[in-house]
Amino acid sequence: VVIRLAETPAAGFGPVERRLGALPTVTHVRHHVTDDGDPVLSIRCDETTATLDEALAVLREARAGIRAVQVKEPSLEDAFLAATGREFEEAETSATDDGAAS
């Protein structure tokens, strides 16, 4: 789930990220600012509908204006990253380096 905000929450991202991270369906939360200055929260979760409902409630409590919400299904690369802890390109480079050393 990707949520684009109208502005940074008044208390900052720390309290919002902690509350979202404590939700039972959330596996990862991070924030960043887009090139055009919009703050964005990216939330990885096990159950999209429940997480979205709870996330919107947390953001309403924080008085954070929401500009857009996007639900993104995980890609094969996301699954690879979750399983191995590294991106596919890193794994290819590592495999090539290991092969050259043999």
Side-chain angles (χ1 to χ4, degrees):
V1 177
V2 179
I3 303 173
R4 184 178 285 228
L5 304 175
E7 59 190 29
T8 300
F13 279 105
V16 169
E17 285 187 79
R18 283 191 293 280
R19 296 248 347 256
L20 293 172
L23 297 174
T25 57
V26 171
T27 59
H28 181 75
V29 179
R30 74 176 185 90
H31 75 274
H32 69 278
V33 177
T34 64
D35 291 339
D36 52 344
D38 287 340
V40 174
L41 280 169
S42 297
I43 305 166
R44 287 192 185 177
C45 60
D46 297 325
E47 192 178 320
T48 305
T49 303
T51 301
L52 184 56
D53 287 343
E54 299 248 11
L56 294 175
V58 167
L59 291 168
R60 277 192 300 273
E61 273 184 37
R63 300 192 192 290
I66 298 166
R67 196 171 288 223
V69 174
Q70 180 181 15
V71 175
K72 296 172 71 174
E73 295 300 323
S75 66
L76 287 175
E77 185 166 349
D78 293 332
F80 183 84
L81 179 61
T84 65
R86 57 188 180 168
E87 293 187 17
F88 185 71
E89 289 178 5
E90 281 179 44
E92 276 187 331
T93 302
S94 178
T96 303
D97 291 345
D98 290 346
S102 300

